[in-house]
Amino acid sequence: MPALACCVDAAPAPPGYALAGDISLPPPVTFTGALPLATTTDDADTNTSHWTPSMSSTLYRIDGWGAPYFAVNTAGNISVMPHGLGTLPHQEIDLLKIVKKASDPKHFGGLGLQLPLIVRFPDVLKNRLESLQSAFEFAIQEQGYDGHYQGVYPVKCNQDRFVVEDIVKFGSPFRFGLEAGSKPELLLAMSCLCKGNQEALLVCNGFKDREYISLAIVARKLALNTVIVLEQEEELDLVVEISKKLCIRPVIGLRAKLRTRHSGHFGSTSGEKGKFGLNTTQVLRVVKKLENLGMLDCLQLLHFHIGSQIPTTALLADGVGEAAQIYCELVRLGAQMRVIDIGGGLGIDYDGTKSCDSDISVGYSLEEYAAAVVSAVQFVCDRRSVKHPVICSESGRAIVSHHSVLIFEAIGASSYGAPTLSTIGLQHLVEGLSDEARADYQSLSAATMVGDYENCVLYMEQLKQRCVEQFKQGTLGMEQLASVDGLCELVSSAIGAKDPVRTYHVNLSVFTSIPDFWGIDQMFPIVPVHRLDEKPTAKGILSDLTCDSDGKIDRFIGGESSLPLHELEGNDGGYYLGMFLGGAYEEALGGLHNLFGGPSVVRVMQRDGPHGFAVTRAVPGPSSGDVLRVMQHEPELMFETLKYRAQEFAADENGHDDDEDVDEKSMMNAAALAARLAFSFDNMPYLVASSSCALNAMENNGFYYCSSDEFSEVVTDSTWDKESGESSVWILLGLIDRIPPFSIQRGSM
């Protein structure tokens, strides 16, 4: 193998360049052994010229977790197939084109939105609904099942207005309904289902009080197919009381606690000690009470939930079979049962492994899931001679996960180039070292000369530790400590002991946009959305903008502790990453840590045309003023306070001089400061890309998007309008005064 030459300067040593004891600094050292390729993702092949998009697809497992909606196109960009397997070649959408359309300035034909960005694909949502329905319809027909499938979407997965409205619209042909778990969700569901199929179910889950139950019974009065599911035994008394007062006969379901459960993270909501539901004793008491009241015919639905991300169809069939036995027992006891609601649990393969032993994967397809459910229900009901019930599921994660992509930008990366000895400054290094530190330095020198890598690491650590202790005691200067760090960095790089993983800084808040990663270690596929025709030559972790050590992503699908990434290019645009399969839960769970709000949002539909898509809605993310308002601050008053301080500052700066030119300058300075403050209130809290447009005026009545430097250039060029007698800066400030920039309505879609 070729020798590795340590990059030590061969220049003559300056005076004082010798160690104590007249031991001279070792000459340039040659290490034997192969060069450790710390900056490449594939040690066997450093040639990037033969890299292909298909190789990136394999590297990032896109074919595994992305099919049939995401792939890599020939240009090396992520391609979206909005209609799944039914997508024609001309219907594929280049994700990078969407990012550019959304983020480019308006005068370049873009929308001027700031990143991070959520891209929603309603076409994918429609395809997911149709695929789920088709899977159950096929299983029902194949097995000769006498009932039908009628799903509901649990709005807790993503309560966004347009997501819920789309689901009701797309699901109307097959009576797809909604599930609510709180009073606001119930109001949302009631409103949306007024435009849906009249037979669509409105399933009311969750803990309930008098108001919740009243709302649910009123929903039935409004001709909505509402079912109140009892989570606690005492809820029945309220249902009976309120329904009698309103003279409305309710439809009641009950949630049963099954013995069946799975052992993964999401299995904690199942089993006898689960958070929700009634045990067998409580179920029998509910039946008896309804019978005594003459309301047993109102009990029509059985609900259960094994847990999210059910890993295998064997576990699924076991749980469904147990629930089917309870269903048949309720029929035997006289209940007019009609629906078995199997809850959620239809899993997502986040890592593409099709594994049964992981919380982020499942070992079955949609078709296999549906077949297992239908078979389990049919087997029990046939054996008990019970009519086949309507099968309902609450498969929220499986419906919405694929339909949205989170786009964010890498804005910098840690550097790890090894220094040369001339930059380290060995002359400063040896001055003031303790005897023990000098001995470690000499031992390190000797170990490098003979290629003793193991002892190199040992003596490096000892030398660094001794120098740190000297620094703490005040006997070693900062320059010398830096020299020690530089020397150890150089030796580490030469012997391959340096950590090859770099930190990529991303314009994102993990706590806001990917809270499940921080909260429950949930991993999502993260992939560059472009440059996939290039070989990634670095390994990195992602560090967000928040002032929190947990604000990083350092675990990735496949059990990896780093992600293959490309080098950042200074002048060729941004480096965009996408987080996929995050359409469920992340938006609702996200917080406001460091007051970073949610992303901008665009809604993209497939269209036949030159670009293949149309942006049907675009909404900027919450501004700094918006997030301050959420925390009970008043941005308008804050702005007025700061504007007054700016005027005071400008006046004080110019003293009491009555010169007219000085007054004009003072006014312009105050206006510039106030205008800058106004922009800060109105912009998103995230960093503004350096390539943003100069004073890009949006169509939102005074919303502007520009960087601080660009704004300074605009202010500097402001002149006094002799005809109107006003400064153009004051004209701008007048516009801001008339239309408060931070009052713009923002939100997600």
Side-chain angles (χ1 to χ4, degrees):
M1 294 184 178
L4 167 63
C6 181
C7 51
V8 179
D9 270 11
Y17 219 71
L19 296 177
D22 294 327
I23 300 177
S24 299
L25 180 71
V29 177
T30 298
F31 296 90
T32 59
L35 173 65
L37 301 178
T39 63
T40 182
T41 60
D42 184 358
D43 291 352
D45 180 15
T46 60
N47 187 358
T48 63
S49 61
H50 301 299
W51 193 258
T52 64
S54 63
M55 296 168 75
S56 286
S57 183
T58 301
L59 177 66
Y60 293 107
R61 305 185 181 202
I62 298 173
D63 291 339
W65 56 259
Y69 302 107
F70 305 104
V72 183
N73 61 27
T74 55
N77 302 330
I78 292 291
S79 183
V80 182
M81 279 73 74
H83 310 299
L85 294 174
T87 305
L88 300 176
H90 73 278
Q91 295 176 324
E92 295 184 12
I93 302 173
D94 191 317
L95 188 54
L96 182 63
K97 291 182 179 179
I98 297 175
V99 175
K100 292 295 186 182
K101 177 66 178 177
S103 61
D104 279 353
K106 289 185 71 66
H107 64 262
F108 287 152
L111 299 173
L113 296 177
Q114 190 174 343
L115 268 59
L117 174 74
I118 287 178
V119 184
R120 298 199 198 282
F121 296 99
D123 293 315
V124 172
L125 196 61
K126 184 173 186 286
N127 186 264
R128 292 299 294 173
L129 276 170
E130 293 172 344
S131 298
L132 179 62
Q133 185 73 24
S134 296
F136 272 98
E137 288 180 351
F138 178 80
I140 286 169
Q141 182 178 3
E142 185 77 7
Q143 299 182 35
Y145 190 83
D146 290 334
H148 67 271
Y149 170 74
Q150 189 173 337
V152 296
Y153 168 67
V155 297
K156 68 177 181 180
C157 292
N158 192 320
Q159 300 100 332
D160 179 83
R161 169 191 168 187
F162 297 96
V163 172
V164 180
E165 288 182 353
D166 280 342
I167 288 173
V168 171
K169 175 184 175 182
F170 299 148
S172 183
F174 29 87
R175 299 168 288 194
F176 213 88
L178 299 174
E179 179 270 347
S182 67
K183 285 177 276 191
E185 288 184 353
L186 178 54
L187 289 168
L188 180 161
M190 290 168 62
S191 174
C192 289
L193 284 176
C194 285
K195 301 177 182 178
N197 192 303
Q198 289 186 348
E199 297 181 44
L201 289 168
L202 172 50
V203 177
C204 301
N205 288 332
F207 295 119
K208 304 169 188 68
D209 62 4
R210 182 177 297 273
E211 183 182 357
Y212 187 133
I213 292 171
S214 297
L215 269 176
I217 294 176
V218 167
R220 191 147 193 90
K221 180 75 170 179
L222 299 177
L224 297 175
N225 193 8
T226 310
V227 183
I228 302 174
V229 178
L230 304 179
E231 304 277 2
Q232 296 177 300
E233 188 178 355
E234 51 268 29
E235 291 173 357
L236 178 59
D237 295 330
L238 285 174
V239 172
V240 171
E241 176 192 341
I242 296 170
S243 64
K244 286 182 176 180
K245 284 184 178 179
L246 297 177
C247 299
I248 301 171
R249 198 159 182 83
V251 173
I252 299 173
L254 57 82
R255 177 167 177 165
K257 287 184 179 179
L258 302 186
R259 268 71 166 182
T260 305
R261 59 170 299 173
H262 71 81
S263 58
H265 169 81
F266 297 104
S268 60
T269 55
S270 61
E272 292 181 273
K273 295 184 179 180
K275 178 179 178 182
F276 300 104
L278 311 178
N279 59 34
T280 53
T281 302
Q282 293 171 317
V283 169
L284 289 172
R285 285 203 295 260
V286 166
V287 170
K288 188 64 174 177
K289 183 176 290 188
L290 287 171
E291 184 180 20
N292 293 337
L293 292 168
M295 297 178 64
L296 191 53
D297 61 307
C298 295
L299 181 57
Q300 298 181 16
L301 179 144
L302 173 68
H303 173 46
F304 67 95
H305 181 64
I306 301 173
S308 297
Q309 285 289 110
I310 297 173
T312 67
T313 54
L315 176 62
L316 173 67
D318 190 29
V320 173
E322 181 187 349
Q325 291 287 357
I326 298 175
Y327 181 93
C328 291
E329 284 294 297
L330 292 172
V331 172
R332 180 182 65 82
L333 293 170
Q336 301 297 306
M337 300 300 293
R338 191 172 63 87
V339 180
I340 184 167
D341 180 353
I342 65 174
L346 174 53
I348 293 297
D349 189 5
Y350 289 99
D351 62 5
T353 61
K354 304 291 189 291
S355 171
C356 301
D357 303 316
S358 170
D359 283 338
I360 62 171
S361 184
V362 291
Y364 52 80
S365 63
L366 268 179
E367 293 74 18
E368 290 167 336
Y369 175 89
V373 171
V374 172
S375 176
V377 175
Q378 183 177 22
F379 176 78
V380 174
C381 289
D382 285 350
R383 190 172 60 182
R384 300 288 301 271
S385 299
V386 171
K387 182 181 177 181
H388 296 169
V390 174
I391 296 176
C392 175
S393 74
E394 303 176 6
S395 306
R397 184 189 300 267
I399 291 172
V400 298
S401 289
H402 298 77
H403 95 284
S404 73
V405 180
L406 174 68
I407 304 295
F408 52 97
E409 187 176 8
I411 54 178
S414 59
S415 175
Y416 61 113
T420 61
L421 285 185
S422 60
T423 61
I424 292 174
L426 285 179
Q427 182 173 5
H428 293 287
L429 170 62
V430 296
E431 296 174 359
L433 289 181
S434 66
D435 293 340
E436 293 85 355
R438 286 195 183 96
D440 288 331
Y441 177 76
Q442 294 168 3
S443 298
L444 175 60
S445 300
T448 58
M449 294 183 68
V450 298
D452 187 350
Y453 297 171
E454 185 174 339
N455 280 322
C456 276
V457 174
L458 173 64
Y459 293 128
M460 272 194 301
E461 292 302 319
Q462 289 184 182
L463 176 61
K464 288 171 68 174
Q465 187 58 40
R466 294 190 200 279
C467 291
V468 168
E469 291 301 322
Q470 280 193 253
F471 179 75
K472 290 178 179 179
Q473 295 169 6
T475 60
L476 197 67
M478 186 177 294
E479 296 88 349
Q480 292 164 309
L481 189 63
S483 296
V484 172
D485 290 338
L487 175 64
C488 293
E489 183 92 355
L490 184 146
V491 175
S492 295
S493 297
I495 67 175
K498 184 174 177 59
D499 184 2
V501 177
R502 301 169 63 184
T503 298
Y504 279 63
H505 304 286
V506 294
N507 200 9
L508 183 77
S509 165
V510 170
F511 305 94
T512 298
S513 295
I514 321 178
D516 270 344
F517 177 82
W518 169 70
I520 62 173
D521 293 326
Q522 171 71 43
M523 282 175 279
F524 299 90
I526 297 176
V527 180
V529 301
H530 60 137
R531 296 179 62 184
L532 296 175
D533 55 344
E534 306 173 29
K535 182 176 182 179
T537 56
K539 293 181 178 179
I541 63 171
L542 308 179
S543 176
D544 76 356
L545 296 180
T546 65
C547 302
D548 197 304
S549 58
D550 285 336
K552 62 182 179 181
I553 303 175
D554 55 3
R555 296 180 303 283
F556 303 89
I557 63 171
E560 300 295 333
S561 57
S562 63
L563 184 69
L565 295 168
H566 303 83
E567 296 290 342
L568 301 184
E569 297 177 345
N571 300 320
D572 294 332
Y575 185 52
Y576 302 108
L577 301 171
M579 186 204 79
F580 296 80
L581 309 186
Y585 297 109
E586 301 314 291
E587 294 171 54
L589 292 175
L592 289 175
H593 189 30
N594 269 161
L595 295 186
F596 286 107
S600 301
V601 183
V602 292
R603 189 170 184 265
V604 177
M605 301 286 288
Q606 185 270 319
R607 292 286 188 268
D608 293 333
H611 301 294
F613 69 90
V615 177
T616 60
R617 286 188 65 86
V619 178
S623 68
S624 294
D626 293 331
V627 295
L628 285 166
R629 193 175 290 108
V630 170
M631 304 305 292
Q632 307 302 311
H633 297 280
E634 298 184 47
E636 292 81 6
L637 294 180
M638 296 167 67
F639 173 68
E640 291 300 324
T641 299
L642 293 170
K643 186 172 73 170
Y644 181 74
R645 174 60 65 90
Q647 293 168 348
E648 283 186 320
F649 171 78
D652 292 343
E653 191 176 51
N654 291 285
H656 300 285
D657 199 325
D658 294 330
D659 186 89
E660 183 176 336
D661 291 337
V662 173
D663 289 342
E664 178 184 330
K665 182 179 179 182
S666 174
M667 293 169 62
M668 291 181 64
N669 287 341
L673 287 173
R676 183 187 292 269
L677 290 168
F679 285 125
S680 295
F681 276 107
D682 194 56
N683 276 346
M684 289 175 66
Y686 296 93
L687 303 187
V688 178
S690 58
S691 59
S692 64
C693 63
L695 201 59
N696 174 32
M698 302 286 288
E699 294 179 347
N700 291 3
N701 295 328
F703 176 85
Y704 294 93
Y705 178 76
C706 65
S707 68
S708 298
D709 292 339
E710 290 164 341
F711 180 78
S712 297
E713 294 173 6
V714 175
V715 172
T716 301
D717 292 338
S718 300
T719 57
W720 184 264
D721 189 328
K722 299 297 183 182
E723 294 183 4
S724 65
E726 289 187 296
S727 165
S728 58
V729 172
W730 279 113
I731 294 173
L732 174 62
L733 186 57
L735 173 64
I736 294 173
D737 284 338
R738 289 195 298 271
I739 307 175
F742 36 82
S743 64
I744 296 171
Q745 296 297 314
R746 296 166 180 260
S748 62
M749 298 183 307

